[in-house]
């Protein structure tokens, strides 16, 4: 089943939006298979944003993501990579539609709360970069066993 890498950036954690954001992925119906709160090393940040290495905003991106803890997650489900990007909204929160995470909670492109992998191949690379195999779980719903 398809998986994607999602990270709640330092602004999302500090603004206490972790529960709200996790809730949106849960409500949509996706399955949480990995989650950790962590401080990001410069090495990991530079590898993660390698594609942006030549961009003018690269150093501010790395400085920001390493400045304070993030919540790293892996979500699973049919079409989850593209669907997560829709739930997240446009890169610039001022252009993001209301109803999306960035559209509802963000203002600035440098403080857009959340990262989501942009393609299935990118997701595979990012999951391997951020998580060890044993940190990811595989689970099936057990109908009513948790209610009764
Ligand atoms: P992300 O990777 O964080 O999910 O965001 P994205 O795909 O929507 O945007 P991307 O083009 O990958 O850019 C990565 C992050 O860099 C910051 N950025 N700043 N013009 C700018 O100052 C600028 N452009 C991009 C954003 O924080 C973006 O999320
Ligand atoms: Mg991106």
């Amino acid at each position: 089943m398809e998986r994607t890498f999602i990270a709640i950036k330092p602004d999302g954690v500090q603004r206490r939006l972790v529960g709200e954001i996790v809730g949106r992925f849960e409500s949509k119906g996706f399955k949480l298979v990995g989650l950790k709160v962590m401080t990001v090393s410069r090495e990991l940040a530079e590898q993660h944003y390698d594609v942006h290495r030549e961009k003018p905003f690269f150093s501010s991106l790395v400085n920001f993501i390493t400045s304070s803890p993030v919540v790293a997650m892996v979500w699973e489900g049919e079409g989850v990579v593209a669907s997560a990007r829709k739930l997240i909204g446009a890169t610039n929160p001022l252009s993001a539609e209301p109803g999306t995470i960035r559209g509802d909670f963000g203002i600035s492109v440098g403080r857009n709360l959340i990262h989501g992998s942009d393609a299935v191949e990118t997701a595979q690379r990012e999951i391997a970069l951020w998580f060890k195999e044993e940190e990811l779980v595989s689970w099936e719903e057990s109908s009513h066993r948790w209610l009764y």
Side-chain angles (χ1 to χ4, degrees), residues 34-141:
L35 179 144
K36 57 186 173 182
V37 57
M38 60 187 283
T39 303
V40 181
S41 67
R42 290 199 79 78
E43 188 189 4
L44 174 57
E46 288 178 4
Q47 280 182 274
H48 174 75
Y49 283 127
D50 192 52
V51 63
H52 297 306
R53 208 171 273 274
E54 306 306 326
K55 308 259 174 69
F57 54 83
F58 179 72
S59 59
S60 62
L61 206 50
V62 170
N63 286 340
F64 176 57
I65 202 90
T66 57
S67 67
S68 175
V70 308
V71 172
M73 303 180 277
V74 178
W75 289 88
E76 184 178 281
E78 206 173 301
V80 67
V81 173
S83 180
R85 297 277 293 185
K86 287 205 162 197
L87 292 173
I88 289 168
T91 307
N92 184 343
L94 285 182
S95 307
E97 295 294 330
T100 66
I101 292 164
R102 288 170 175 162
D104 286 349
F105 302 112
I107 290 175
S108 162
V109 71
R111 299 286 182 271
N112 62 2
L113 300 160
I114 180 166
H115 163 83
S117 306
D118 60 13
V120 172
E121 304 72 46
T122 320
Q124 288 164 353
R125 183 184 93 83
E126 291 175 350
I127 290 167
L129 186 61
W130 287 78
F131 282 89
K132 298 181 186 129
E133 190 56 50
E134 63 266 28
E135 291 176 317
L136 300 175
V137 296
S138 188
W139 55 278
E140 298 302 326
E141 284 80 356

Side-chain angles (χ1 to χ4, degrees), residues 141-148:
E141 284 80 356
S142 313
S143 69
H144 297 306
R145 267 176 54 205
W146 303 111
L147 286 176
Y148 308 113

